[in-house]
């Protein structure tokens, strides 16, 4: 029974959209140390709550599951309630209290731990949590919830355990043990020596597994890091130190690594720091409004009504992956590699011309992950060999590590984009990943605010944009797929994040000519609630996921939001092998035309085509172009 419940719990936890990998936790929950990942312990179960604020009760199966756990010998049960860090109103908090009251009898005889994480608790949520009956312990994130410490100091219930999350479960930096020990000692005076448990701030599912697996990281950078296995060691070292058994050698080595990171010339680049600091007081907008820019771009590009394009990548075949792998392993020469990539680009260009697509892409055959590819060419980034974390479902990624100030030593994409443009007379898009997405899909340094790091990345991308323009690339796409993903959990923090995120994007392209058309692409999210920030990005054209969300995006425009730039809501879902018909795509375009002006609408798929096969891509794109042409004919006839 426990095995099946653990499997259920894993499935439930995997639905949260955060990158993660798993680690067997500390062997004892109550040895004054704890990790928030307790799935593999034989007598302790960790469950995400099945409680629904809307229904004001737990799932009917919850009581049955708890009873079965008790019968199986479980001593503790952990409920994950990160919902509590959101902006909950009094009605929702009352529903939370009522739901746990309903379980009070069922939970009798068990030690109950409720974990919250990822942000501070409000005073009201903290009061609700600590007044719950039948609860033994509270687990609080004291890394991202630093203000929660003051709530604990002002009022912590007597006789309850505090699971103090002082070791960061969401990043890969070594803990500052001296600072954490000081925090714990202050909390010990409030909670009591026998009631304080040292813990990670959240589950260790969000970080890589073990530094031991990293054989290619240099020793200095490696000394600054702690993956999941190392975090367990940190938790236990802090617990022992708190109990008077401090490992002086371990703490000394940690202090040395902390000092090394602060003083290393690899971390700080004064020129980059000054350039980023100078950005804060400026707006960085293009001088001309988008309507005038679109007119200038149309005169240069001469595109038809409902222009067609794709998002960037084309299928990455087994042969293409083999070529990249062998080049990286020095098994083929650079000349052979360049020749193979040029041949792949030519194939992609020829196919797009054959399909009669209006604005082309080079297909990105030289690229691995869309963030890793750029990080490998920027200073301030490090890379792991086995630092995989879960992205979604069974897909995993290997996020770059941003350890220092970011700059661009040399052009990154100009050669390949120029090569592709030389193969066609049609506009060729330069393809870049935006600064916010690079930031949000990396392990980010924690020694300065995230927005400062983002501004540094933006300046590096700005250099690339301007070099692409000088090389004759008139259409440049700067993808910001993860813009909404970085939105803070608390609404009070939304405005500040959106301000610097949008500013970072504008920095990248504020210096180009009116005739250079700037595109951006967004996917993976419902963007309705940040549509005004998207407008404020001031891109000339935005292509955006639409078909997978049942065209919810269009509801924004039905409700009166005005958008004067070009926009391409995706006309078919590339995540499915299904090939949409011409009629189906034409119907989607007609729905868009009901709420969007004809002169701003673009026709494109939802996302890049990297994961698809050519047998699916060719007919789908052919039908997409046919649908656009059909609508052009109908629009011309209507006139």
């Amino acid at each position: 029974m426990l095995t099946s419940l653990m499997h259920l719990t894993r499935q439930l936890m995997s639905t949260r959209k955060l990158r993660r990998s798993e680690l067997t936790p500390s062997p004892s929950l109550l040895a004054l140390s704890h990790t928030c990942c307790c799935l593999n312990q034989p007598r302790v179960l960790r469950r995400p709550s099945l409680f629904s604020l809307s229904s004001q009760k737990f799932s009917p199966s919850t009581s049955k599951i708890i009873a079965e756990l008790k019968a199986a010998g479980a001593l503790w049960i952990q409920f994950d309630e990160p919902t509590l860090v959101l902006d909950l109103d009094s009605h929702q908090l009352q529903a939370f209290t009522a739901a746990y009251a309903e379980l009070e009898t069922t939970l009798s005889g068990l030690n109950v731990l409720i974990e919250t994480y990822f942000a501070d608790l409000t005073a009201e949520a903290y009061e609700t949590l600590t007044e719950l009956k039948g609860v033994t312990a509270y687990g609080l994130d004291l890394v991202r919830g630093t203000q929660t410490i003051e709530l604990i100091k002002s009022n912590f219930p007597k006789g309850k355990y505090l699971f103090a999350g002082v070791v960061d479960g969401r990043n890969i930096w070594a803990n500052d043990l001296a600072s954490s020990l000081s925090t714990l000692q202050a909390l010990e005076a409030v909670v009591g020596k026998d009631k304080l448990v040292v813990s990670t701030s959240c589950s260790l599912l969000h970080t890589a597994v073990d530094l031991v697996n990293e054989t290619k990281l240099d020793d200095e950078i490696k000394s600054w890091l702690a993956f999941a296995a190392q975090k367990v060691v940190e938790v236990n070292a802090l617990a022992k130190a708190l109990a008077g058994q401090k490992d002086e050698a371990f703490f000394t080595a940690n202090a040395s690594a902390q000092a090394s990171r602060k003083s290393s010339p690899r971390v700080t680049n004064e020129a980059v720091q000054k350039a980023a600091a100078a950005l804060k007081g400026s707006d960085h907008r293009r001088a001309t409004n988008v309507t005038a820019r679109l007119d200038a771009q149309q005169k240069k590009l001469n595109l038809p009504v409902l222009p067609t394009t794709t998002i960037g990548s084309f299928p990455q075949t087994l042969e293409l992956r083999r070529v990249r792998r062998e080049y990286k392993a020095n098994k083929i020469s650079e000349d052979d590699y360049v020749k193979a990539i040029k041949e792949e680009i030519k194939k992609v260009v020829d196919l797009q011309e054959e399909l009669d697509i209006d604005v082309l892409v080079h297909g990105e055959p030289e690229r691995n992950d869309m963030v890793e590819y750029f990080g490998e060419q920027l200073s301030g980034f490090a890379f792991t060999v086995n630092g995989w974390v879960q992205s979604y479902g069974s897909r995993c990624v290997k996020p770059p590590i941003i350890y220092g100030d970011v700059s661009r030593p040399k052009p990154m994409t100009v050669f390949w984009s120029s090569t592709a443009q030389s193969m066609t007379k049609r506009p060729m898009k330069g393809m870049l990943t935006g600064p916010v997405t690079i930031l949000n899909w990396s392990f980010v340094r924690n020694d300065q605010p995230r927005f400062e790091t983002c501004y540094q990345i933006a300046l590096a991308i700005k250099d690339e944009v301007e070099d692409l323009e000088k090389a004759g690339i008139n259409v440049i796409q700067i993808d910001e797929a993860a813009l909404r993903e970085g939105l803070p959990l608390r609404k009070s923090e939304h405005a500040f994040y959106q301000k610097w995120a949008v500013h970072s994007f504008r920095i990248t392209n504020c210096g180009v000519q009116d005739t250079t058309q700037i595109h951006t692409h967004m996917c993976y999210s419902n963007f309705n609630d940040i549509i005004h920030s998207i407008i404020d990005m001031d891109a000339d054209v935005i292509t955006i996921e639409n078909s997978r969300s049942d065209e919810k995006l269009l509801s924004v425009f039905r409700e009166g939001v005005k958008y004067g730039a070009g926009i391409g809501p995706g006309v078919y879902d590339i995540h499915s092998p299904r090939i949409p018909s011409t009629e189906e795509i034409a119907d989607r375009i007609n729905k868009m035309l009901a709420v969007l002006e004809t002169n701003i609408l673009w026709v494109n798929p939802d996302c890049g085509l990297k994961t698809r096969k050519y047998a699916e891509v060719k007919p789908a794109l052919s039908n997409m172009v046919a649908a656009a042409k059909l609508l052009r004919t109908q629009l011309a006839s209507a006139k």
Side-chain angles (χ1 to χ4, degrees), residues 262-381:
K262 289 177 182 177
S263 62
S264 174
R266 304 171 68 177
V267 172
T268 304
N269 181 322
E270 288 189 11
V272 172
Q273 290 273 350
K274 288 179 180 178
L279 298 171
K280 296 177 187 176
S282 305
D283 197 27
H284 295 93
R285 292 180 183 271
R286 295 173 75 178
T288 311
N289 68 46
V290 69
T291 302
R293 296 198 309 264
L294 288 174
D295 288 343
Q297 292 156 16
Q298 179 58 20
K299 289 176 183 176
K300 187 165 189 174
L301 300 174
N302 193 30
L303 298 173
V305 173
L306 305 179
T308 55
T309 191
T310 64
I311 302 307
S313 58
F314 266 64
Q316 298 233 340
T317 62
L318 291 175
E319 174 62 18
L320 180 56
R321 293 177 187 273
R322 180 192 65 78
V323 168
R324 282 210 316 267
R325 186 170 59 249
E326 291 186 352
Y327 176 61
K328 194 170 186 178
N330 296 317
K331 292 182 178 179
I332 61 174
S333 68
E334 183 175 3
D335 287 344
D336 287 340
Y337 171 74
V338 170
K339 180 182 178 183
I341 297 299
K342 282 184 175 180
E343 288 174 353
E344 183 69 18
I345 291 173
K346 184 70 166 77
K347 181 175 76 173
V348 169
V349 170
D350 288 347
L351 173 60
Q352 292 172 92
E353 289 196 325
E354 175 189 330
L355 293 170
D356 204 17
I357 292 174
D358 300 304
V359 176
L360 310 190
V361 298
H362 77 288
E364 305 176 14
E366 78 285 7
R367 303 186 188 184
N368 40 30
D369 176 78
M370 65 182 287
V371 172
E372 186 176 14
Y373 176 77
F374 288 94
E376 286 174 339
Q377 301 181 77
L378 295 169
S379 64
F381 282 76

Side-chain angles (χ1 to χ4, degrees), residues 20 31 114 125 191-192 211 226 321 424 436 455 511 604 620:
R20 54 187 71 174
I114 299 183
V191 176
L211 266 176
R321 293 177 187 273
T424 181
V436 182
Y455 283 168
N604 49 264

Side-chain angles (χ1 to χ4, degrees), residues 42-57:
R43 296 172 70 81
V44 181
L45 186 76
R46 171 175 183 258
R47 286 193 57 82
S49 172
L50 299 181
F51 164 60
S52 166
L53 283 171
S54 60
S55 67
Q56 302 188 28
K57 60 178 64 179

Side-chain angles (χ1 to χ4, degrees), residues 37-301:
C37 178
C38 302
L39 288 168
N40 296 320
Q41 295 193 44
R43 296 172 70 81
V44 181
L45 186 76
R46 171 175 183 258
R47 286 193 57 82
S49 172
L50 299 181
F51 164 60
S52 166
L53 283 171
S54 60
S55 67
Q56 302 188 28
K57 60 178 64 179
F58 280 87
S59 162
S61 64
T62 305
S63 295
K64 180 181 178 183
I65 292 171
I66 293 170
E68 290 172 340
L69 285 169
K70 289 169 70 174
L75 302 178
W76 282 76
I77 184 167
Q78 175 178 322
F79 288 90
D80 284 4
E81 296 289 5
T83 299
L84 278 172
V85 306
L86 301 178
D87 299 294
L88 304 180
D89 59 31
S90 58
H91 173 74
Q92 291 170 313
L93 291 171
Q94 289 168 11
F96 188 90
T97 300
Y100 271 91
E102 181 185 326
L103 281 181
E104 187 177 347
T105 302
T106 308
L107 290 170
S108 177
L110 282 170
N111 292 298
V112 177
L113 164 63
I114 299 183
E115 282 277 356
T116 73
Y117 37 79
F118 300 151
D120 274 301
L121 289 168
T122 63
E124 294 79 7
Y126 178 80
E127 183 179 359
T128 298
L129 174 64
T130 53
E131 289 183 352
L132 291 177
K133 295 179 180 179
V135 176
T136 312
Y138 311 99
L140 303 175
D141 183 342
L142 304 183
V143 176
R144 285 170 177 76
T146 53
Q147 295 174 31
T148 301
I149 293 175
E150 298 308 313
L151 294 173
I152 296 169
K153 290 179 179 179
S154 65
N155 181 28
F156 190 79
K158 291 182 179 180
K160 303 296 184 181
Y161 287 93
L162 170 63
F163 283 59
V166 294
V167 174
D168 193 350
R170 278 185 66 185
N171 215 329
I172 43 70
W173 301 106
N175 186 271
D176 184 338
L177 295 178
S179 176
S180 292
L181 183 58
S182 176
T183 298
L184 290 166
Q185 288 168 337
L187 292 172
E188 186 180 61
V190 176
V191 176
K193 193 175 186 67
D194 62 334
K195 298 299 182 184
L196 183 61
V197 181
V198 183
S199 179
T200 53
S201 63
C202 61
S203 152
L204 294 174
L205 298 173
H206 315 293
T207 186
V209 176
D210 196 341
L211 266 176
V212 171
N213 299 323
E214 299 306 323
T215 56
K216 295 186 178 180
L217 274 174
D218 70 74
D219 290 341
E220 183 179 36
I221 292 178
K222 200 169 180 179
S223 73
W224 304 339
L225 306 178
F227 289 178
Q230 289 70 44
K231 291 179 185 296
V232 172
V233 174
E234 290 175 340
V235 165
N236 287 328
L238 286 165
K240 289 178 180 178
L242 202 59
Q245 302 169 31
K246 185 177 180 182
D247 185 337
E248 295 292 350
F250 188 69
F251 270 70
T252 299
N254 175 266
S256 177
Q258 295 291 324
S260 162
R261 186 178 168 208
K262 289 177 182 177
S263 62
S264 174
R266 304 171 68 177
V267 172
T268 304
N269 181 322
E270 288 189 11
V272 172
Q273 290 273 350
K274 288 179 180 178
L279 298 171
K280 296 177 187 176
S282 305
D283 197 27
H284 295 93
R285 292 180 183 271
R286 295 173 75 178
T288 311
N289 68 46
V290 69
T291 302
R293 296 198 309 264
L294 288 174
D295 288 343
Q297 292 156 16
Q298 179 58 20
K299 289 176 183 176
K300 187 165 189 174
L301 300 174

Side-chain angles (χ1 to χ4, degrees), residues 309-314 364 370 392 429 431 441 477 479 481 521-524 543-548 568-575 604-612 617 621 624:
T309 191
T310 64
I311 302 307
S313 58
F314 266 64
E364 305 176 14
M370 65 182 287
Y392 64 93
K429 279 198 286 190
M431 301 299 306
W441 286 353
Q477 181 171 309
D479 288 339
H521 174 68
M522 297 181 182
C523 52
Y524 303 125
T543 52
I544 196 164
E545 186 274 321
N546 173 63
S547 62
R548 296 185 77 203
V571 296
Y572 77 90
D573 179 14
I574 64 88
H575 295 86
N604 49 264
D606 260 350
C607 202
L609 306 170
K610 180 189 292 187
T611 60
R612 299 266 57 91
V617 166
L621 290 181
M624 183 188 81

